[in-house]
Amino acid sequence: EHAMSSDLVCVTEDQDVTEASRLMAEKQISRVLVVDKSQKPIGMVSLQDLSQESEDLTAETVSHIKQ
């Protein structure tokens, strides 16, 4: 129970990976939940996922999370 966060950070399936990265940096988290238009969970995006998309994007996000 203490390991779980009560504030979920979500992106929608049609949002850009840049937005997911921005949220991760802003909230200092390494994963975000992906939801559909009815707010049902459909997946998760992690820093590792972003690293496959763009090395520069991941490096910038990691530097913000570590602050």
Side-chain angles (χ1 to χ4, degrees):
E1 186 176 316
H2 292 286
M4 293 175 33
S5 173
S6 60
D7 297 327
L8 289 177
V9 178
C10 303
V11 294
T12 59
E13 60 190 322
D14 59 347
Q15 284 182 286
D16 191 81
V17 295
T18 306
E19 179 65 12
S21 177
R22 185 193 66 74
L23 281 169
M24 286 182 198
E26 179 184 307
K27 303 292 185 179
Q28 297 191 348
I29 55 176
S30 59
R31 291 174 187 79
V32 294
L33 183 65
V34 181
V35 296
D36 65 13
K37 291 179 174 112
S38 62
Q39 299 298 306
K40 291 183 182 176
I42 58 170
M44 190 75 95
V45 175
S46 69
L47 283 175
Q48 184 175 1
D49 296 331
L50 293 179
S51 70
Q52 294 171 0
E53 181 71 25
S54 168
E55 207 171 290
D56 293 336
L57 187 61
T58 305
E60 183 179 328
T61 303
V62 169
S63 71
H64 281 83
I65 290 172
K66 289 186 175 184
Q67 291 179 356

